[in-house]
Amino acid sequence: MKKLSALLLSMVMAVSLAVPAFADGADGPAPDDYDYGDAVPISAPIDDDIYGWTAEDEWESVCEIYPEKVAVFQTEVKTWFAQHADWYDADTFDEFVENVGGEEAAYVSLFYDWNMEREEALARDELIKALGGVPGQVNVRVNNEFVKFPDAAPEITNGRTMAPLRAIMEALGAEVAYNGNDDIRCTVNGVEYTFAVGSSAVHLRYVEYGGEGDAPDMEGIVMDCAPYIKGGRTYVPVRFFAEALGYEVGWDGEYRTATLLDREALAAEIDKDFTIMNRVQAANALALKEGESGQTKTKGSVSVTAFDTLNGNKTYQADFDSKMLANDQAVSGSFSLKLSDSMMDELIKNLISSNAPDEDIAGVRERLSLVLDVLENAELIMNKDGQMWVHSPALDQLGGVKDTWCGMDLDFSESQMVFAGTNAATVGTVLSSLAPTDSVVMSDEVSGAVMLLMELYSDDKFTTSGGVSTLTIDAEDLEMLFENLGMGGIQDEFKTFELTMKVDEKGGTTVTCEMETSAQFGTPAVKLSMTGAQSAGEAAFTVELHAANIGEFKLTVDVTQQATAGKPMTQPPEEANVVDAPELLES
């Protein structure tokens, strides 16, 4: 099922690229698949009554099982404890030993925590090394590539990441002319930056005019940290020059890496391999004139049939539609979601025990009915700053005031996804918009998504004849894909698979997919059929899924889009009664 889910996700990503976009256009976590091995965190001494062992017995066992680790641990434990004393409610190691009843008890309590931190550090070092960085030092990553510093490493000075001049500036695309400590010049994009060691002042001038004085000097700027000399190398502040050259800058404290991102350059690099898929996007995007917005209408339905040979099959239905106005600043409009009575009953059944009193069931039904009343007739406003408001007659009733809008703040990344890309979003602009600047791990996951899409939908996967580019993925291709991604074979899981995508010269697209899996280890056999088509301003697709002896699922969606002179609302009307979601629920 994991492989099926991964495949369906990639198909959804491909379909989403063909559906109109909404709008015109510090620490990273440890890897999810990190193997902790034998590290088991324990931060309290062994309880003799539970284990029947003394702390001395347990520590003797630890020494026998992990002799090499124990040797390192005993040389580091006091220094390590001093760095983590606040975890253990003791100011010194000696005080902790006294609190837990002896040195062996202290060792038992600390060893596993120390070992887990050590193993996590080793895992981080392995990841940094695999990605091209250098373990144990400050690193700088530019557009997912670690900068190579051949003879001097970056360092942190007064809270600033400082890096050797030539390596970092050349990685940012600048030419460096070093004429002594008082005359250092870096030229990029037709602008020359001149500065001196020990001074935070930077002098700028245009150089494309061909000579001194031919063009007025640009306004000078000031660095947040003056360059300095160390070990015969000039160090400059990374953030200052990166931001001056148009990069977004972040810091992953766990991996001690400054991340520099030029989203436009990253998007352009990705798009080199996706000209056909970008033709689909271009055909599907509105050519908006200045001041225009995109109007998107979506209509669809979901039906689920649960098989029941004893009591008869049950079908649950949900219908939805929306009408939205969008530009690069906001999205606003109306939407509706209506559930069948049978689906509502099933939701209640899953929300509360069948043995609950009638009054509890009635209470759940009342609250659920209120939520569904809101969703059945609602207005929505969302802006690029991550603010969202919802209005519905049901909210007016709940708040007791006419024109009540429920407000909430979205996660910034969620807001960015809605407004990702431009009027003609491309594969590159969508994926580059997801690249973070504060997490090496998440950035690597975005790179993995790019690799997956390249394996499925890059230009070299299509064949072109008579102006139509055709992509076909069969079971054999799928087998090879999963093996290349290290996910193992699928020959025992998929009985049939065939996906066909046809793209004409104008970007009009049809997609069909037929797939059937075998029953595996209690997982039922599944048969899936998908059809989709899109042309300028229109898109429609249908998905049908049959799970053997369980049920059927069907989804249909129709989308139309056109340009309009109207503008979306960016916030509720001035006379509206705006309340926060928690405040409204408390009422």
Side-chain angles (χ1 to χ4, degrees), residues 413-455:
S413 61
E414 295 174 352
S415 176
Q416 290 298 103
M417 286 183 66
V418 172
F419 294 94
T422 62
N423 185 32
T426 66
V427 175
T429 57
V430 172
L431 291 174
S432 66
S433 73
L434 304 180
T437 58
D438 59 356
S439 172
V440 170
V441 173
M442 291 300 294
S443 181
D444 190 49
E445 290 183 4
V446 172
S447 298
V450 174
M451 294 303 297
L452 175 60
L453 285 179
M454 286 191 65
E455 288 291 334

Side-chain angles (χ1 to χ4, degrees), residues 340-391:
S340 65
D341 292 340
S342 59
M343 181 172 283
M344 182 172 175
D345 290 338
E346 189 66 21
L347 284 173
I348 292 174
K349 185 186 301 183
N350 284 277
L351 288 172
I352 193 167
S353 170
S354 59
N355 297 322
D358 290 343
E359 58 268 23
D360 289 352
I361 296 176
V364 171
R365 179 178 289 275
E366 182 180 356
R367 289 190 292 273
L368 183 58
S369 295
L370 176 61
V371 172
L372 296 178
D373 285 345
V374 172
L375 296 177
E376 189 171 338
N377 182 14
E379 297 176 82
L380 176 142
I381 301 172
M382 184 188 306
N383 63 33
K384 198 171 185 178
D385 295 329
Q387 297 172 302
M388 186 173 80
W389 298 269
V390 177
H391 169 256

Side-chain angles (χ1 to χ4, degrees), residues 505-525:
E505 292 179 321
K506 295 183 178 180
T509 307
T510 60
V511 180
T512 61
C513 180
E514 298 291 337
M515 177 183 72
E516 185 174 355
T517 67
S518 302
Q520 291 281 322
F521 307 108
T523 301

Side-chain angles (χ1 to χ4, degrees), residues 268-290:
E269 187 66 25
I270 294 172
D271 283 334
K272 290 179 181 178
D273 296 303
F274 293 98
T275 61
I276 295 175
M277 290 300 294
N278 285 337
R279 190 192 310 162
V280 175
Q281 277 300 94
N284 209 24
L286 291 175
L288 298 179
K289 299 177 182 178
E290 185 175 354

Side-chain angles (χ1 to χ4, degrees), residues 1 19 124 143 160 188 307 358 425 482 532:
M1 286 300 291
V19 173
R124 286 194 295 270
N143 286 346
R160 299 287 187 270
V188 62
F307 298 154
D358 290 343
F482 279 113

Side-chain angles (χ1 to χ4, degrees), residues 38 59-75 111 114-115 118:
D38 53 29
W59 180 241
E60 182 179 350
S61 176
V62 170
C63 292
E64 291 177 358
I65 298 172
Y66 314 116
E68 295 180 358
K69 290 183 178 180
V70 167
V72 177
F73 168 73
Q74 289 182 314
T75 64
F111 175 77
W114 168 87
N115 187 49
R118 181 173 180 267

Side-chain angles (χ1 to χ4, degrees), residues 41-44 80-91 96 109-118 120:
I42 297 178
S43 56
W80 184 86
F81 182 89
Q83 298 169 345
H84 303 83
D86 56 333
W87 290 6
Y88 302 98
D89 195 26
D91 294 330
F96 181 70
S109 296
L110 300 176
F111 175 77
Y112 294 103
D113 290 347
W114 168 87
N115 187 49
M116 174 177 282
E117 185 173 286
R118 181 173 180 267
E120 289 177 343

Side-chain angles (χ1 to χ4, degrees), residues 104-143:
E104 286 83 359
Y107 284 168
V108 171
S109 296
L110 300 176
F111 175 77
Y112 294 103
D113 290 347
W114 168 87
N115 187 49
M116 174 177 282
E117 185 173 286
R118 181 173 180 267
E119 293 296 320
E120 289 177 343
L122 291 174
R124 286 194 295 270
D125 287 349
E126 286 300 315
L127 176 62
I128 287 291
K129 185 177 179 180
L131 295 176
V134 179
Q137 73 170 43
V138 174
N139 284 279
V140 179
R141 199 179 195 197
V142 178
N143 286 346

